[in-house]
Amino acid sequence: MTNTYFKSIFAFSIAAILTGCGSTKTAGGSGLVLTPVENIDTTPLKISDLTTSEKNNWGHLDLVTDTIPGMSVDKAYSEIIKNKKGTKTIVAVLDSGIDLNHEDLVNVLWTNTKEKAGNGIDDDGNGFIDDIHGYNFLGESYNEQLEYVRMLRLNIGDAATLSKAKAKLDSKYNEALQGKEQYESIYQAVKNADADVQKYLKKDVYTKQDLSSIKATDEAMQRNVAILNQMFGIKETIPDVLKDLKNGLTYYTEQLNYNLNKDFNGREPVGDDAYDITDVNYGNGNPMNRVDDESHGTHVAGIIAAERNNGKGVNGVANNVAIMSIRAVPNGDEYDKDIARGIRYAVDNGARVINGSFGKSFSPNAEWVNEAIKYAADNNVLFVHAAGNDGANLDDPINANFPNDQINNGPEIADNVITVGALNPKYGSELVASYSNYGKINVDVFAPGTDIYSTYPNNEYEYSPGTSMAAPGVAGIAALVMSQYPSLTAAQVKKIILQSGLPIKSKVVLGSAGNKSDTLDQISTSGKIANAYNALVLASKVAAGQVKL
């Protein structure tokens, strides 16, 4: 899903509203830089006082040099890539629509040169009309139900599955009602307090220091100051707090109106039977975002490949990349048919990496997606998937997450899938984001995910959190490696990324409750955080035949 997939993180921030490293060493002469792991909670850290530059780029920084757990992207470019351009690599963003006119993306878009724009003809015979920069499997639809709500509406599944879906809908609907009421109450309280303090200070914008100068004598102003002091502990400015609260209110409102509304049918404008894989005459060749709020795909694309060193907002992880836009993820749960067809479209049109920053807990036609993933593997295409934002152990069968590369924690169905959990910009016990899913079987590696600065529609840039932001960081590393060493297979690149990451041995806190902790090697397959520099070092040795994986 799109907005509901990454906006679920607001559920973790509501509680907050209501209530240096040592020397480095190399691994056995391999050239891989390993991080020190002793006394992880007592080493000098940069945590809460990042500069604006660090905040905007923390995912590219180096743990050893900057004491920030980034992916060493800047180091990789300065010491390894330098001026090497590499081979053009196509990365498919299987997501919501993308702002194809964005200043930081317009020059890095994949273009189907065999297709003529706007003539209504399938010029290249690939089965899709006017697919210049990708394809749109959603037509003009955007808002959608969650899968288990659709299953209830359409009576899809056996009695046990529908009973489980009904129980989940009842629980989530009540949760959304309560969340909406809480956000409305808090938003109004902060808004009123802000208005009163602006009037008192005779300032439209004020600082925490300004607030502390108020000598409140009446109870109402004392309450205003107390509320706003609490808000300054969450964000740097009150307008930022109000923006987040409004986003949270929108999230719960959309859940009630669309995602959890059993009577809503978001697929109607598309005109197909979404549960018939043979019904393929739908969609169109324009994968542009339809509304400004449809920002998820644009943000993901920027993380991977925003044009580097152009003097504009951000640098993507990868250079010499072409972004293929595949619009298949609505504001709600994606359809298995669209994802399966989107994967196959990407493979058939030259993508070497597919980023999938989406997921859901019910998948009535999971086999369609599984077969598409196998098809990608057979054609040497890597699929990078976000682990999800429930703060849950995916190895527990109760926490199903689709798509996946295995069934019931069994053997992998393919060797081309990387599932990515999210990191905070904090080297310490809070390294893993509280919202990030984890699992020794079901999560492969971790990467920067919290408050990642990237492209937004209309030439804007914003911070967004989630495993949705961690996955494209890893997709970017994969594209970077493939660009420099195009002979490497998707399976090899997966192994390179997992084996070359930085191992963190000390325990990290898991989930929002804060009562669980474990080491990375117990909550992920690799036990590591992704590292671009190390990946390139290892890739060079594998490509040269010096190292066997």
Side-chain angles (χ1 to χ4, degrees):
M1 66 186 78
T2 310
N3 289 343
T4 50
Y5 191 59
F6 74 90
K7 284 183 181 175
S8 63
I9 295 156
F10 284 116
F12 292 99
S13 63
I14 185 75
I17 296 170
L18 292 170
T19 58
C21 305
S23 61
T24 65
K25 59 182 180 179
T26 59
S30 68
L32 303 187
V33 177
L34 302 183
T35 177
V37 295
E38 299 299 325
N39 303 318
I40 194 167
D41 286 324
T42 58
T43 44
L45 311 175
K46 286 183 180 179
I47 297 178
S48 60
D49 57 344
L50 302 185
T51 66
T52 298
S53 175
E54 288 169 336
K55 287 178 183 176
N56 290 355
N57 191 50
W58 80 264
H60 290 205
L61 299 182
D62 181 74
L63 178 56
V64 174
T65 303
D66 305 301
T67 69
I68 297 171
M71 300 182 296
S72 303
V73 175
D74 291 348
K75 181 179 179 180
Y77 275 96
S78 64
E79 297 186 19
I80 299 177
I81 300 293
K82 298 180 180 177
N83 295 320
K84 302 173 191 171
K85 201 166 185 182
T87 302
K88 178 81 77 176
T89 304
I90 300 171
V91 180
V93 175
L94 186 58
D95 210 295
S96 72
I98 293 176
D99 181 356
L100 303 176
N101 300 315
H102 196 286
E103 62 182 7
D104 239 354
L105 298 174
V106 68
N107 293 326
V108 296
L109 296 176
W110 170 74
T111 299
N112 183 357
T113 56
K114 297 176 182 178
E115 192 79 5
K116 295 179 181 177
N119 67 356
I121 298 171
D122 179 15
D123 300 288
D124 60 357
N126 70 349
F128 299 89
I129 295 172
D130 292 340
D131 55 326
I132 302 300
H133 298 300
Y135 199 74
N136 169 26
F137 289 97
L138 300 180
E140 301 311 308
S141 70
Y142 175 53
N143 291 309
E144 255 299 348
Q145 293 173 309
L146 301 186
E147 187 68 73
Y148 58 88
V149 182
R150 291 196 296 254
M151 291 170 69
L152 288 167
R153 175 170 62 86
L154 299 171
N155 197 34
I156 295 172
D158 57 27
T161 301
L162 291 173
S163 176
K164 183 180 176 183
K166 177 68 164 57
K168 186 158 189 174
L169 174 57
D170 291 344
S171 172
K172 291 297 184 181
Y173 194 88
N174 288 332
E175 182 183 300
L177 277 174
Q178 293 174 11
K180 183 170 183 267
E181 290 171 359
Q182 286 178 328
Y183 268 96
E184 283 175 336
S185 176
I186 297 167
Y187 179 78
Q188 201 57 52
V190 175
K191 188 176 180 181
N192 291 342
D194 180 46
D196 288 349
V197 166
Q198 284 185 39
K199 186 176 180 181
Y200 181 92
L201 292 172
K202 297 181 173 59
K203 288 183 175 182
D204 292 336
V205 179
Y206 53 89
T207 66
K208 189 174 183 179
Q209 288 70 31
D210 292 331
L211 190 66
S212 65
S213 71
I214 297 177
K215 307 300 180 186
T217 56
D218 64 282
E219 186 177 336
M221 186 55 71
Q222 288 174 352
R223 185 170 60 251
N224 289 337
V225 170
I227 289 172
L228 296 174
N229 265 323
Q230 188 178 6
M231 297 303 108
F232 271 119
I234 298 169
K235 288 284 184 178
E236 293 181 358
T237 71
I238 298 305
D240 284 344
V241 171
L242 288 169
K243 181 180 178 181
D244 276 6
L245 287 170
K246 193 168 185 180
N247 284 340
L249 182 56
T250 299
Y251 163 64
Y252 285 115
T253 300
E254 289 181 349
Q255 276 207 321
L256 294 169
N257 289 346
Y258 309 118
N259 309 145
L260 300 173
N261 181 356
K262 191 178 171 184
D263 297 323
F264 178 68
N265 180 8
R267 191 70 172 190
E268 192 171 3
V270 183
D272 69 324
D273 180 350
Y275 293 92
D276 180 359
I277 194 69
T278 66
D279 184 357
V280 298
N281 189 24
Y282 69 98
N284 58 58
N286 180 15
M288 184 89 172
N289 63 306
R290 290 323 195 244
V291 293
D292 289 345
D293 284 347
E294 187 180 350
S295 57
H296 194 266
T298 303
H299 198 268
V300 165
I303 294 170
I304 298 169
E307 186 175 0
R308 294 184 59 83
N309 304 320
N310 64 351
K312 302 188 188 299
V314 293
N315 285 335
V317 172
N319 65 345
N320 206 14
V321 167
I323 291 292
M324 178 188 293
S325 176
I326 303 176
R327 186 173 184 259
V329 183
N331 181 28
D333 273 353
E334 60 280 356
Y335 286 87
D336 294 327
K337 182 173 82 167
D338 294 342
I339 297 305
R341 296 195 68 216
I343 291 172
R344 290 177 181 273
Y345 177 91
V347 173
D348 291 342
N349 288 279
R352 289 218 59 198
V353 182
I354 301 170
N355 188 84
S357 288
F358 53 81
K360 58 185 180 180
S361 56
F362 287 73
S363 183
N365 298 114
E367 67 276 9
W368 296 346
V369 181
N370 290 345
E371 289 303 316
I373 289 172
K374 292 177 187 177
Y375 180 71
D378 291 342
N379 287 275
N380 196 28
V381 178
L382 188 69
F383 182 70
V384 183
H385 184 234
N389 303 324
D390 302 306
N393 182 0
L394 296 183
D395 293 352
D396 185 338
I398 200 172
N399 299 320
N401 184 49
F402 298 95
N404 212 322
D405 61 354
Q406 47 72 31
I407 300 170
N408 298 327
N409 291 340
E412 290 185 347
I413 62 170
D415 59 3
N416 66 327
V417 179
I418 301 178
T419 301
V420 187
L423 300 175
N424 289 319
K426 305 178 180 184
Y427 181 52
S429 62
E430 296 179 29
L431 177 66
V432 172
S434 62
Y435 55 79
S436 180
N437 289 342
Y438 55 91
K440 186 172 178 61
I441 298 172
N442 288 281
V443 175
D444 292 307
V445 70
F446 286 86
T450 296
D451 292 344
I452 303 299
Y453 191 65
S454 186
T455 45
Y456 251 51
N458 301 320
N459 292 335
E460 294 185 2
Y461 302 85
E462 293 283 352
Y463 299 96
S464 281
T467 60
S468 280
M469 283 64 246
V474 173
I477 293 177
L480 195 58
V481 169
M482 289 177 171
S483 176
Q484 294 297 315
Y485 306 101
S487 65
L488 295 175
T489 67
Q492 285 177 312
V493 172
K494 173 181 176 175
K495 289 179 180 178
I496 286 167
I497 290 173
L498 268 56
Q499 292 180 19
S500 67
L502 297 181
I504 306 296
K505 302 294 185 183
S506 298
K507 287 188 174 182
V508 293
V509 177
L510 304 172
S512 60
N515 58 356
K516 296 179 183 177
S517 65
D518 217 328
T519 52
L520 256 63
D521 62 345
Q522 296 302 308
I523 62 169
S524 65
T525 302
S526 69
K528 297 173 182 177
I529 63 178
N531 189 275
Y533 179 91
N534 279 0
L536 286 165
V537 170
L538 182 54
S540 69
K541 296 179 182 297
V542 174
Q546 298 171 1
V547 172
K548 280 194 173 184
L549 297 169

